[in-house]
Amino acid sequence: MPQRVAVTTLSHEPRKRFAEELRRMRTQRGLSLRDLQRAVGWDASLFGKMERGGTLGGPEVVQALDQFYGTGSLLLILWELAVGDPTQFKEQYRRYMMLEAEAVSLWQYSVSAPPGLLQTDGYVREALAAGGATGEELEQQVEARVRRRKLLEGVDGPPFRPVISEAVLRMGMRDKPGWRQQLRFLAEVAERPNITPYVLPFGSGVHGLTNTDTMFLRLSDGRTVAYTENDVRGELIEETGRVERLQRAYDAVRDRALSPAESRSFVLRMLEEVPCEPST
């Protein structure tokens, strides 16, 4: 009878396992964080945050650690798994995030905030801080949300058709330079071949999605699922009949929206209205 292999006490969650492996490799070699800083070149505080799970770092620093430890691509592989780890999101969003990563096309109606996939770092940070996130929790959630944008990047990025209420573009941020950056980003992504934002102007009338942010995901197996969210709750909808009704409501909203060219011009007009930073 073969000898039973002992099960380790290391975490099975990719993000936690990545942090544990970083800490294990350093301590096995008797190195401090300062030693690692001197050897690899990045700040010791970054390595500390990575080992606590506060940040994943970028691929460059992870590759440098692989080279330093002589571990081939082990850490980079663990990092890639951690980047896609749904446990980095709050529990109520995890299944949706897993499906979003698999989507072959996406469309959305945004009633109160820029689409999550098109939010800048500054907007994400201000929104999460307004919701009470602080410290390393804030940093982790900012990093997790910002990485969602990569889904739309590259030549194979899936098509995305967001309809954005004019209210979103007039809500703004407390940080005016940050809001200018967000509006500028919305105008820039409108020039990408796979992203077509529409603006729904005031005066378009009452419609079926008036108070509900709604996201649709077309999956590789041909199914479409929807995620709806308001101020108090979110719901993943997979039942075909309900999804179809929401799709019809979305189609009616998009029919009332400005054309893609008009929508981009509208965003640029909003950008012109935001005060610039005072000159010094």
Side-chain angles (χ1 to χ4, degrees):
M1 184 175 180
Q3 185 177 3
R4 184 176 180 181
V5 178
V7 178
T8 72
T9 58
L10 294 173
S11 175
H12 291 182
E13 294 182 5
R15 189 182 181 101
K16 290 183 180 179
R17 180 61 177 269
F18 176 65
E20 290 170 348
E21 198 65 23
L22 291 175
R23 188 165 54 252
R24 185 185 69 81
M25 287 186 176
R26 179 179 60 79
T27 56
Q28 275 189 344
R29 288 161 175 77
L31 300 171
S32 69
L33 293 172
R34 291 290 183 188
D35 292 334
L36 204 56
Q37 174 180 310
R38 287 189 288 269
V40 183
W42 275 267
D43 194 86
S45 63
L46 172 62
F47 296 126
K49 288 180 181 179
M50 291 171 70
E51 291 184 9
R52 293 192 301 272
T55 183
L56 293 174
E60 298 84 2
V61 65
V62 178
Q63 287 176 319
L65 288 170
D66 262 330
Q67 184 175 3
F68 173 70
Y69 289 129
T71 48
S73 299
L74 173 63
L75 292 176
L76 186 60
I77 291 170
L78 291 177
W79 177 85
E80 289 174 342
L81 293 172
V83 166
D85 181 12
T87 64
Q88 64 191 303
F89 299 103
K90 293 183 178 180
E91 187 172 358
Q92 65 265 34
Y93 303 125
R94 290 177 186 173
R95 175 160 167 73
Y96 169 79
M97 293 302 178
M98 292 175 65
L99 294 174
E100 182 183 81
E102 301 172 6
V104 297
S105 63
L106 313 92
W107 54 105
Q108 181 172 1
Y109 173 63
S110 293
V111 66
S112 58
L117 289 169
L118 301 181
Q119 291 177 3
T120 60
D121 300 27
Y123 188 93
V124 170
R125 183 177 301 279
E126 184 167 301
L128 289 172
T134 59
E136 287 197 359
E137 178 195 6
L138 174 61
E139 297 305 317
Q140 178 180 333
Q141 289 299 308
V142 168
E143 182 179 66
R145 289 202 184 189
V146 166
R147 287 191 189 279
R148 292 174 62 198
R149 292 202 305 258
K150 293 189 177 296
L151 174 69
L152 301 175
E153 295 176 359
V155 295
D156 296 325
F160 182 37
R161 302 290 182 267
V163 179
I164 304 170
S165 168
E166 181 177 341
V168 172
L169 303 176
R170 294 192 180 278
M171 182 81 69
M173 296 166 57
R174 293 189 300 273
D175 176 12
K176 296 306 178 186
W179 183 236
R180 288 182 59 83
Q181 184 181 31
Q182 175 66 74
L183 290 174
R184 190 177 297 111
F185 183 68
L186 289 175
E188 289 171 355
V189 297
E191 298 183 311
R192 296 184 192 174
N194 64 317
I195 303 177
T196 310
Y198 300 83
V199 171
L200 183 73
F202 289 150
S204 298
V206 178
H207 54 80
L209 299 178
T210 299
N211 298 312
T212 307
D213 273 270
T214 308
M215 184 75 165
F216 300 90
L217 308 175
R218 174 82 40 81
L219 306 177
S220 58
D221 62 6
R223 291 185 302 130
T224 298
V225 301
Y227 184 83
T228 61
E229 188 171 42
N230 56 31
D231 289 340
V232 296
R233 68 190 295 265
E235 181 184 7
L236 180 66
I237 300 171
E238 300 184 68
E239 193 271 310
T240 302
R242 293 182 65 194
V243 172
E244 288 180 348
R245 286 192 292 273
L246 286 169
Q247 280 186 272
R248 287 195 293 271
Y250 168 85
D251 289 342
V253 170
R254 196 168 73 172
D255 287 345
R256 302 182 190 187
L258 302 177
S259 71
E262 292 170 331
S263 295
R264 185 174 185 275
S265 296
F266 192 99
V267 172
L268 290 173
R269 288 200 302 274
M270 293 294 97
L271 177 59
E272 292 174 357
E273 293 181 12
V274 181
C276 295
E277 289 183 277
S279 57
T280 55

